[in-house]
Amino acid sequence: MAQYNTLLYYCYSTIADAEQFAADHLKFCKSLGLTGRIIVAAEGLNGTVSGTTEACKTYMDTVHADPRFAGIDFKVDVVDTPSFVKMHVRYKSEIVHSGLRDPNVINPQQQTGKHLEPKDFLAMKDRDDVVVLDVRSNYEHSLGKFKNAVTLDIENFRDFPEMINQLAQYKDKKILTYCTGGIKCEKASALLLHEGFKDVYQLHGGIIKYGKEAGGEDFEGKCYVFDNRLSVDVNSVNPVVISTCRNCGKVTPKMINCANPECNEHFTQCDECGTKLEGCCSDACQSHPRKREYDGTGYYVKVPQPVNVQKKGKIQLAGE
């Protein structure tokens, strides 16, 4: 039986002609038989890809050989089947949507919070002079978060800048930010510093790396991931389930997307309510004419979106 890997990574590094790079990189990924989702912007890369162990190794080796991406820290999960169905590489204005696009104000290549390795984060997180800050969205931290972490009422990371004033009470504390893999913390910590917070840190490699290197201690619940697994276990030391079914209130670790594509809300739902509502968050969504067929997973393949595919000679990994 073939063994597969799923790679989670990001890199803030300037990419000239990023739109063409996205088209070239898509060809490269498909040549390896990979599936996944990668965002390319002038500021860098943000990706999750999945494939055979051999294909993933070739991908990592090739990307690391490019000086722009030599420092990428790949988080590697062993999986039974690929974590995606298709391969997408998309060009966007940012590799994580924050609205913080002016590099003269926020530039993770120049200034971010101090990176903490998982063991150092573990050692610091319960100190009286420390505040642990979750910079993820509501649906993510409702599924799982660090014990006693401060969470924000935001639907998307782009709402984070609006919450800075609510964090002013913590300006005299050490702020330890965390997210899934680290990418959101790069901009969140940079913005906190820009807004006058003096002592800002970030969990290097995010929750995923913390689970691998620190046993996930005191991370309560599961971690939402952006592939067809939807969530993964993190804590092998003192695990608990903290999420509840939106419909009946029963404790459940299961996260799904609403089967109504016009809703597509991320929410927690037990199997019983999932069967009853056919994977929908409400009766109204269940009766929607475009409702997708619910197979018990709550994951739906997104319709592919094209990237710039102008032909400029032989397609190869940009920078080779």
Side-chain angles (χ1 to χ4, degrees):
M1 184 176 182
Q3 187 179 70
Y4 299 91
N5 288 165
T6 295
L7 313 177
L8 174 68
Y9 71 94
Y10 72 90
C11 180
Y12 283 97
S13 181
T14 303
I15 301 175
D17 197 3
E19 192 168 4
Q20 181 61 42
F21 179 93
D24 295 351
H25 204 67
L26 176 62
K27 292 286 188 180
F28 170 64
C29 292
K30 286 185 172 181
S31 75
L32 296 177
L34 297 174
T35 58
R37 181 169 59 247
I38 299 171
I39 298 173
V40 178
E43 66 182 8
L45 298 175
N46 174 17
T48 309
V49 297
S50 194
T52 64
T53 301
E54 181 181 5
C56 286
K57 183 179 185 306
T58 299
Y59 181 81
M60 289 187 287
D61 290 346
T62 305
V63 171
H64 272 154
D66 187 320
R68 294 172 296 181
F69 314 128
I72 286 181
D73 181 15
F74 286 98
K75 275 74 75 177
V76 183
D77 279 343
V78 177
V79 294
D80 294 330
T81 59
S83 299
F84 295 87
V85 175
K86 298 184 179 183
M87 187 70 232
H88 305 273
V89 180
R90 296 176 176 130
Y91 167 74
K92 294 189 177 182
S93 59
E94 296 180 272
I95 56 175
V96 59
H97 189 179
S98 68
L100 305 171
R101 299 177 186 174
D102 185 350
N104 295 314
V105 177
I106 302 297
N107 188 344
Q109 295 185 55
Q110 295 181 359
Q111 183 183 47
T112 66
K114 303 164 192 169
H115 286 228
L116 285 177
E117 293 303 320
K119 63 180 177 59
D120 300 317
F121 183 93
L122 175 61
M124 283 185 66
K125 68 180 183 61
D126 294 324
R127 285 170 38 175
D128 291 338
D129 62 340
V130 163
V131 169
V132 176
L133 175 63
D134 191 321
V135 303
R136 300 172 303 154
S137 304
N138 290 335
Y139 65 89
E140 297 174 87
H141 60 67
S142 69
L143 182 65
K145 64 183 183 65
F146 277 102
K147 182 179 179 180
N148 299 324
V150 171
T151 58
L152 303 173
D153 182 15
I154 57 176
E155 296 300 318
N156 297 283
F157 182 59
R158 62 177 174 268
D159 300 326
F160 177 80
E162 300 174 4
M163 308 300 290
I164 292 294
N165 289 339
Q166 295 186 24
L167 299 173
Q169 60 186 303
Y170 305 121
K171 278 197 172 182
D172 62 341
K173 301 276 191 178
K174 291 179 171 61
I175 309 295
L176 273 57
T177 66
Y178 74 88
C179 58
T180 306
I183 186 172
K184 293 177 180 177
C185 288
E186 300 281 5
K187 287 195 172 181
S189 67
L191 181 61
L192 288 167
L193 290 168
H194 178 73
E195 293 294 328
F197 290 78
K198 303 299 183 185
D199 218 350
V200 182
Y201 301 77
Q202 62 190 77
L203 175 56
H204 179 56
I207 299 163
I208 300 301
K209 188 178 178 72
Y210 183 83
K212 295 179 183 300
E213 297 185 8
E217 184 173 346
D218 289 338
F219 185 84
E220 300 180 328
K222 303 185 77 170
C223 180
Y224 181 88
V225 291
F226 298 85
D227 57 61
N228 65 8
R229 295 171 297 171
L230 290 179
S231 66
V232 296
D233 291 321
V234 172
N235 191 332
S236 59
V237 178
N238 53 352
V240 296
V241 177
I242 64 169
S243 50
T244 57
C245 176
R246 169 174 173 162
N247 303 105
C248 72
K250 176 182 176 181
V251 173
T252 178
K254 188 173 184 179
M255 169 73 76
I256 72 170
N257 282 9
C258 181
N260 172 8
E262 293 186 11
C263 172
N264 205 45
E265 183 174 352
H266 304 74
F267 69 104
T268 46
Q269 185 180 65
C270 69
D271 286 330
E272 291 82 359
C273 289
T275 299
K276 179 181 177 182
L277 291 168
E278 299 177 288
C280 294
C281 65
S282 64
D283 293 334
C285 282
Q286 187 178 13
S287 62
H288 195 278
R290 291 187 59 207
K291 179 178 69 68
R292 298 169 289 200
E293 183 177 354
Y294 178 62
D295 65 1
T297 67
Y299 175 81
Y300 306 97
V301 179
K302 293 184 178 180
V303 177
Q305 297 180 11
V307 298
N308 179 8
V309 290
Q310 290 182 358
K311 297 187 181 298
K312 294 185 178 179
K314 183 178 180 181
I315 298 295
Q316 58 181 213
L317 181 64
E320 288 185 333

